[in-house]
Amino acid sequence: KKSDIDKVREYLKTHYAGANPEYAGIAKGKNVFVIHLESFQQFLIDLKINGQEVTPFLNSIYHSNSTIAFDNFFNQVGQGKTSDAENMLETSTFGLPQGSLFATQGSSQTFQAMPAILSQDEGYSSAVFHGNNASFWNRNNTYKNMGYQYFFDASYYDTSGDKAMGYGLKDKLLFNDSIKYLERMQQPFYAKYITVTNHFPYTLDDQDKNPDFTTTDTGSSVVDGYFQTANYLDNSIKEFYDYLDKSGLSKNSIVVIYGDHYGISNSENKTLASVIGKDPNTWSSYDDAMLQRVPFMIDIPGYTKGHIDHTYGGEIDVMPTLEHLLGITDTSGFIQFGQDLLSTARQQLVAFRNKDYVTPDYAYINKTIYDNKTGQAVTNPSKELTGKIDQWQKSVNSQLSNSDAVNQKDLLRFYTPTGFKAVDGTKYNYANGLA
Ligand code: GP9
Ligand code: MN
């Protein structure tokens, strides 16, 4: 119903946090690279095993003067995994309570997504580079409705023999073999790279293993393999940065790097615990939840005040953050459920898809409230804390239920923001590349 979208708009009026004037527009007109680090968790950043850094290159970006990085940024995916992460970043709406929005509704859904907004407001072209088949997660159809101009999937690369494994073309080859397409794109562009090599079960061909890197010996092939494939992914990003520097693209491009969701499942976390300096014997659901942090960093050429921001946020918040940086400084007309991570007015409340949540001081996980300072369950919450818990839960529930109303009822059909033109997905054909 048309009136349903009015209720959502009422909710969003109370939820909109606005931009931070200190950052608004500082990346205006720049190309955007979004690098999706498959299954990559925040604990890998700065982690050393056997005296070596697992991801030395990403660590250098994380600590760079030109990077705004976040260390309390959580993944918020549900069953749609990678596709949920993509959906949040492209639309600032949550994935569905069950299943994948891309797979079940992507072919017919109305989106007001990042590629369309950047094209219409700022004249950007757009492309996705990915080494798997286009139909995985129904991306081929979903991307059209999001307004992606180009989708360079596996069919655009040589994936024969040992060039691919698991979910497709190996990451180093993806970055290298996509250059010929990237170089023909009109600038400014919005280009997303979805990596695949660091994906369960974390195996790597011998020739792709770094001879200078010795992984753990935990007895779990998943945990031991994870550090090896993460190290490979790190090296592939370094090679891509080398290209960006050599080609001059790094001067006029921002690079957004993020992890989509966990790589090590809760059942393996006790094995992981000792590697990351934690006690497996006291491991709890709280610890599982804290490991849902993933990297989020924005590397901006010419920016010199890089730092690590400790705000609590998640994938739902990326889109408004980027829009504001790129000069779309008032996003109050859009149906977006996140808040700019750099806004001083934001509410630091991170909703998980199952309605659990994290705040800077407390986390509500699996029907238990935990104190972040101690990591212990609060057994006798004060009256004041009980009141806060009620408020947080209400807030989380309305963020999720309003997002679900939009997605499950395809409500964007009934609302087109002023100045935005509805996307016609039928005009895109991903078979022709840049022909
Ligand atoms: C494959 C990929 C993996 O194309 O992006 O998705 P996931 O299994 O992580 O959801
Ligand atoms: Mn994934």
Side-chain angles (χ1 to χ4, degrees):
K1 277 196 290 70
K2 202 173 175 322
S3 64
D4 291 340
I5 191 72
D6 297 331
K7 288 186 204 139
V8 173
R9 291 186 63 203
E10 283 306 312
Y11 161 75
L12 284 175
K13 263 187 211 158
T14 66
H15 185 66
Y16 183 67
N20 181 335
E22 200 187 313
Y23 296 97
I26 66 170
K28 193 175 175 69
K30 301 264 191 289
N31 301 315
V32 180
F33 288 103
V34 175
I35 302 182
H36 171 114
L37 303 176
E38 180 56 43
S39 304
F40 196 105
Q41 291 171 252
Q42 177 70 14
F43 71 76
L44 288 166
I45 298 294
D46 286 341
L47 177 67
K48 277 189 179 173
I49 56 176
N50 300 319
Q52 326 128 278
E53 292 174 76
V54 180
T55 59
F57 187 72
L58 286 165
N59 297 346
S60 73
I61 301 296
Y62 182 69
H63 293 287
S64 155
N65 283 337
S66 58
T67 301
I68 305 169
F70 295 85
D71 62 355
N72 289 309
F73 179 89
F74 290 76
N75 88 80
Q76 297 170 289
V77 308
Q79 290 172 350
K81 302 293 292 289
T82 291
S83 68
D84 280 358
E86 287 189 66
N87 182 64
M88 283 184 274
L89 266 80
E90 304 288 11
T91 71
S92 196
T93 68
F94 288 91
L96 298 174
Q98 267 95 37
S100 157
L101 176 80
F102 271 41
T104 59
Q105 294 174 219
S107 302
S108 59
Q109 191 82 353
T110 306
F111 293 108
Q112 289 153 8
M114 209 54 184
I117 291 171
L118 285 177
S119 161
Q120 295 183 24
D121 276 42
E122 308 285 316
Y124 279 64
S125 67
S126 56
V128 178
F129 300 92
H130 183 46
N132 199 356
N133 302 322
S135 60
F136 199 95
W137 284 129
N138 194 31
R139 286 181 171 111
N140 48 344
N141 297 310
T142 308
Y143 287 164
K144 289 177 186 170
N145 291 328
M146 289 182 165
Y148 265 110
Q149 264 180 299
Y150 305 109
F151 180 17
F152 298 100
D153 79 314
S155 67
Y156 283 89
Y157 318 102
D158 178 4
T159 57
S160 65
D162 60 4
K163 294 188 175 63
M165 62 177 300
Y167 286 81
L169 186 69
K170 294 172 178 175
D171 296 340
K172 286 189 184 181
L173 299 174
L174 172 72
F175 285 115
N176 189 68
D177 299 353
S178 60
I179 289 173
K180 57 178 179 283
Y181 305 116
L182 177 70
E183 282 182 337
R184 293 172 60 190
M185 283 187 66
Q186 171 230 292
Q187 296 191 43
F189 52 71
Y190 173 67
K192 170 158 81 169
Y193 282 76
I194 306 171
T195 62
V196 295
T197 308
N198 187 50
H199 191 292
F200 184 86
Y202 313 111
T203 48
L204 209 51
D205 288 337
D206 281 341
Q207 80 260 25
D208 297 317
K209 289 180 184 156
N210 176 356
D212 299 325
F213 180 76
T214 312
T215 191
T216 48
D217 183 16
T218 64
S220 157
S221 63
V222 170
V223 173
D224 298 342
Y226 186 59
F227 297 119
Q228 218 146 29
T229 49
N231 178 261
Y232 170 91
L233 172 55
D234 182 72
N235 210 246
S236 75
I237 309 291
K238 181 190 182 303
E239 291 183 4
F240 190 56
Y241 257 78
D242 288 344
Y243 158 73
L244 294 179
D245 288 341
K246 246 194 287 160
S247 65
L249 273 171
S250 56
K251 283 199 205 62
N252 58 347
S253 308
I254 71 166
V255 182
V256 177
I257 298 175
Y258 86 106
D260 63 342
H261 51 71
Y262 71 82
I264 304 299
S265 63
N266 290 348
S267 59
E268 302 268 3
N269 277 346
K270 281 188 186 158
T271 308
L272 178 70
S274 47
V275 182
I276 58 174
K278 298 271 161 65
D279 181 358
N281 298 314
T282 59
W283 196 267
S284 68
S285 303
Y286 172 81
D287 298 302
D288 288 334
M290 293 302 107
L291 280 197
Q292 300 314 307
R293 287 179 172 89
V294 290
F296 180 61
M297 30 189 149
I298 311 166
D299 187 358
I300 305 173
Y303 186 70
T304 54
K305 290 187 277 185
H307 58 272
I308 296 164
D309 186 310
H310 307 304
T311 195
Y312 276 66
E315 290 167 331
I316 200 73
D317 302 312
V318 170
M319 186 182 191
T321 308
L322 292 182
E323 287 172 313
H324 296 162
L325 286 170
L326 294 168
I328 304 167
T329 52
D330 181 357
T331 51
S332 58
F334 291 117
I335 306 298
Q336 298 174 355
F337 294 90
Q339 296 177 325
D340 186 336
L341 290 161
L342 297 162
S343 169
T344 51
R346 67 190 313 274
Q347 186 187 17
Q348 297 192 61
L349 173 63
V350 186
F352 292 125
R353 185 54 268 193
N354 65 2
K355 299 182 186 160
D356 286 352
Y357 60 81
V358 183
T359 77
D361 301 317
Y362 295 95
Y364 185 76
I365 307 297
N366 214 348
K367 302 192 172 66
T368 305
I369 190 88
Y370 292 90
D371 185 334
N372 292 353
K373 277 198 278 299
T374 60
Q376 298 300 311
V378 182
T379 39
N380 265 318
S382 66
K383 219 170 158 196
E384 193 202 345
L385 180 57
T386 307
K388 280 191 194 163
I389 294 169
D390 282 350
Q391 275 315 109
W392 287 326
Q393 192 67 67
K394 274 200 195 105
S395 217
V396 162
N397 293 357
S398 48
Q399 194 189 20
L400 288 164
S401 65
N402 277 286
S403 171
D404 289 346
V406 168
N407 279 335
Q408 290 173 324
K409 300 183 218 167
D410 194 13
L411 292 184
L412 296 186
R413 281 180 296 165
F414 303 121
Y415 171 73
T416 307
T418 316
F420 184 81
K421 219 173 123 278
V423 171
D424 174 9
T426 63
K427 72 177 196 198
Y428 302 107
N429 179 353
Y430 297 147
N432 298 332
L434 281 163

